[in-house]
C-alpha cells in the first residue's frame, strides 16, 4: 500500500527559517526602541505645548458633561442652545484660570520675598536640627546649607512663575477650539472608521469612560485637597506663621501629586515652622498635627470617596509619577494620574495590550467590557 507523505524540509532550510524569525524579532525590537526614543524626544522638546494641550483636554472633559446637562435644560418652551452653553463654560473657565493664576503668582511673590528674609537665618536653624549628632555634624550641615545659592533658585522659580500666565492663555485658547470642535466630534469619529457605527460607538464609550473616570477623580481630589489646605492653613494660623496663607495654598496644590505631594507639603510646613520659631517643641507639634491631617484625608477619606473609580496600582502610580515628572517636570506629576487612567482604560479594551492593563490595575482587574458598555449606554 502506497501512502503519501510530505518530506520534512532539509536542516539548512529549517535553520534559515529560525534565523529569519530571530532577525525579524530583532528588527521589531530595534524599531520599537527607536520609536520610543523619538516619542520621548518630542515629548521633551514640545513640553510647553503638550502640557498646555493636556491641561486643556482635562479642563474640557471636566466641563463637557456640564455643557450637555445645560443644553438639555429648558427656559420655558425654549431649550438652551449648545453653543451658548459652550460660550458660558469657556467664559467661566477663563475667569477661573486667570483668577487662580493671579492668586498663585501673588503667593509666589510673597514666598520669594519671605525666603529672601529667611535666607540668612535658615542655615543656622537647619543646622540646629542636627545638633544632637555632634558639633562636627552641625557645622558640616551649616556649611552645606550656607553654600546653596538661594538667589539662583529664586531667579529660576520667578522665571517659571512668569511662564504660568503664558501657559494659562494658551490653555484657554486650546479649550476654546475644543469646544468649537465638539459639535462635529461624533460625525468625525464615524467617518474615521469608514461609517462603521459599531466601532465608532465602542470608541465613543471608551472616551466617555475616560472622561467620567478622570472627572470623578479630579472632583474628589479637589474636594479633599481643599479641605486639607484649609486645615493646614488653620494650623499654621494658630502657630502664628507668617506664611500661613501660602502654606495652605501650597498644600492644596501639592496634594494633586499622588503620594509624594502630601509628604513634601508636610515637610515644608515643619521646615517653615522651625525656621521662623527656632522651637523644636512647636515644630514637632505642628509636624504631628499636619501629618495626622494628611494621613486622615489622604489615606482614609480619599480612598473611601474614590471607591472603585481609581483602580490603579500603587506601584504603577509611582512609576507614572517618576516618568512624567522626568519628562515634563512638576506639571507632569500633576497629569500623571489622569494619563494613567486613560492608559488603563484603553489598554483594557485592546486585546494585545490587555496584559499591560492587568499590570496597571490595582488588583489585576482592569475595566471589564460589560461595565464599559453599561457606562456607554
Amino acid at each position: 500500500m502506497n501512502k503519501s507523505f510530505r518530506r520534512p524540509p532539509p536542516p539548512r532550510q529549517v535553520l534559515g527559517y529560525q534565523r529569519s524569525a530571530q532577525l525579524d524579532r530583532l528588527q521589531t525590537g530595534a524599531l520599537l526602541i527607536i520609536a520610543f526614543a523619538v516619542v520621548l524626544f518630542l515629548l521633551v522638546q514640545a513640553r510647553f505645548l503638550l502640557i498646555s494641550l493636556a491641561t486643556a483636554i482635562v479642563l474640557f472633559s471636566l466641563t463637557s458633561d456640564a455643557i450637555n446637562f445645560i443644553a438639555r435644560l429648558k427656559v420655558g418652551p425654549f431649550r438652551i442652545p449648545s453653543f451658548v452653553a459652550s460660550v458660558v463654560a469657556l467664559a467661566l473657565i477663563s475667569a477661573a484660570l486667570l483668577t487662580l493664576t493671579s492668586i498663585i503668582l501673588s503667593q509666589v511673590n510673597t514666598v520669594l520675598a519671605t525666603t529672601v528674609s529667611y535666607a540668612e537665618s535658615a542655615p543656622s536653624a537647619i543646622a540646629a536640627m542636627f545638633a544632637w549628632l555632634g558639633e562636627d555634624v552641625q557645622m558640616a550641615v551649616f556649611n552645606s546649607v550656607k553654600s546653596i545659592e538661594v538667589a539662583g533658585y529664586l531667579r529660576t522659580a520667578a522665571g517659571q512663575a512668569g511662564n504660568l500666565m503664558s501657559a494659562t492663555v494658551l490653555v484657554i485658547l486650546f479649550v476654546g477650539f475644543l469646544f468649537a470642535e465638539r459639535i462635529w466630534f461624533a460625525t468625525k469619529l464615524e467617518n474615521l472608521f469608514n461609517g462603521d457605527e459599531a466601532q465608532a460607538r465602542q470608541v465613543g464609550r471608551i472616551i466617555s469612560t475616560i472622561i467620567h473616570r478622570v472627572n470623578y477623580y479630579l472632583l474628589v481630589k479637589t474636594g479633599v485637597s481643599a479641605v486639607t489646605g484649609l486645615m493646614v492653613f488653620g494650623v499654621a494660623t494658630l502657630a502664628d506663621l507668617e506664611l500661613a496663607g501660602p502654606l495652605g495654598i501650597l498644600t492644596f496644590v501639592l496634594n494633586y501629586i499622588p503620594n509624594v505631594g502630601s509628604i513634601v507639603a508636610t515637610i515644608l510646613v515643619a521646615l517653615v515652622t522651625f525656621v521662623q520659631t527656632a522651637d523644636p517643641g512647636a515644630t514637632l507639634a505642628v509636624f504631628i498635627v499636619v501629618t495626622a491631617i494628611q494621613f486622615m484625608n489622604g489615606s482614609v477619606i480619599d480612598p473611601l470617596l474614590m471607591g472603585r473609580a481609581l483602580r490603579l496600582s500603587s506601584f504603577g502610580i509611582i512609576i507614572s509619577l517618576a516618568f512624567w515628572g522626568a519628562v515634563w517636570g512638576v506639571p507632569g506629576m500633576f497629569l500623571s494620574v489622569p494619563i494613567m487612567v486613560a492608559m488603563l482604560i484603553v489598554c483594557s479594551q485592546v486585546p494585545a495590550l490587555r496584559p499591560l492593563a492587568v499590570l496597571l490595575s490595582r488588583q489585576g482587574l482592569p475595566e471589564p467590557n460589560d461595565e464599559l458598555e453599561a457606562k456607554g449606554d
Side-chain angles (χ1 to χ4, degrees):
M1 181 180 297
N2 293 329
K3 295 183 178 179
S4 61
F5 62 94
R6 179 176 296 178
R7 180 177 299 177
R12 292 184 178 178
Q13 189 175 358
V14 174
L15 185 60
Y17 289 153
Q18 293 177 351
R19 289 180 177 177
S20 178
Q22 292 177 356
L23 183 61
D24 290 340
R25 286 194 293 267
L26 289 176
Q27 290 177 346
T28 303
L31 290 175
L32 289 176
I33 294 175
I34 294 173
F36 177 77
V38 171
V39 171
L40 188 61
F41 175 79
L42 294 176
L43 287 175
V44 174
Q45 294 300 315
R47 57 186 300 176
F48 182 78
L49 182 65
L50 294 177
I51 290 171
S52 301
L53 179 59
T55 305
I57 292 174
V58 171
L59 292 175
F60 172 75
S61 67
L62 278 172
T63 54
S64 59
D65 290 338
I67 292 174
N68 293 332
F69 175 77
I70 294 174
R72 289 193 296 266
L73 296 178
K74 289 184 177 181
V75 180
F78 302 101
R79 188 183 299 273
I80 299 177
S82 180
F83 76 92
V84 174
S86 300
V87 170
V88 172
L90 180 60
L92 293 176
I93 290 176
S94 302
L97 285 178
L98 293 175
T99 302
L100 182 62
T101 302
S102 301
I103 293 174
I104 292 177
L105 290 178
S106 64
Q107 296 301 321
V108 167
N109 292 331
T110 302
V111 171
L112 294 179
T114 308
T115 303
V116 172
S117 63
Y118 284 163
E120 296 183 359
S121 60
S124 300
I126 295 175
M129 298 174 63
F130 299 89
W132 60 279
L133 294 175
E135 185 176 354
D136 295 336
V137 176
Q138 182 179 359
M139 184 59 63
V141 173
F142 175 81
N143 293 331
S144 299
V145 177
K146 190 72 174 179
S147 63
I148 298 176
E149 297 182 1
V150 179
Y153 288 107
L154 293 181
R155 285 193 296 268
T156 302
Q160 292 180 352
N163 294 330
L164 186 60
M165 185 60 71
S166 301
T168 301
V169 175
L170 186 59
V171 168
I172 292 174
L173 291 176
F174 279 142
V175 172
F177 283 112
L178 287 174
F179 281 146
E181 291 290 330
R182 67 183 297 273
I183 301 175
W184 311 105
F185 180 74
T187 303
K188 289 183 178 181
L189 189 62
E190 184 175 346
N191 292 333
L192 182 65
F193 295 101
N194 298 322
D196 190 345
E197 297 182 1
Q199 193 171 4
R201 283 197 301 268
Q202 178 67 11
V203 174
R205 293 191 190 102
I206 294 175
I207 296 174
S208 178
T209 303
I210 294 173
I211 291 175
H212 290 316
R213 189 70 60 84
V214 172
N215 287 356
Y216 187 79
Y217 164 76
L218 291 176
L219 290 175
V220 172
K221 202 68 177 177
T222 300
V224 174
S225 299
V227 172
T228 305
L230 288 174
M231 295 177 72
V232 171
F233 170 75
V235 173
T237 302
L238 292 176
D240 198 22
L241 299 181
E242 296 180 6
L243 296 177
L247 286 175
I249 295 176
L250 194 61
T251 300
F252 167 74
V253 175
L254 287 176
N255 269 265
Y256 281 95
I257 301 177
N259 302 327
V260 179
S262 58
I263 298 175
V264 174
T266 303
I267 293 175
L268 286 177
V269 174
L271 185 61
V272 169
T273 304
F274 189 77
V275 170
Q276 180 176 330
T277 63
D279 185 357
T283 303
L284 182 60
V286 170
F287 177 77
I288 292 175
V289 173
V290 174
T291 301
I293 292 173
Q294 293 281 12
F295 177 79
M296 181 61 64
N297 292 339
S299 301
V300 179
I301 297 178
D302 196 350
L304 184 64
L305 294 177
M306 287 293 181
R308 299 179 63 189
L310 198 65
R311 301 179 178 180
L312 301 179
S313 167
S314 299
F315 181 72
I317 291 177
I318 294 297
I319 296 298
S320 178
L321 184 68
F323 175 79
W324 291 109
V327 174
W328 285 350
V330 176
M333 296 181 181
F334 287 97
L335 296 169
S336 61
V337 173
I339 293 175
M340 192 173 175
V341 170
M343 287 181 57
L344 174 63
I345 296 174
V346 172
C347 291
S348 65
Q349 301 305 309
V350 179
L353 300 177
R354 191 167 180 82
L356 180 59
V358 173
L359 295 176
L360 293 176
S361 60
R362 177 180 299 174
Q363 300 174 345
L365 300 173
E367 190 77 13
N369 293 328
D370 53 352
E371 182 177 344
L372 184 67
E373 293 176 0
K375 291 178 181 178
D377 294 338

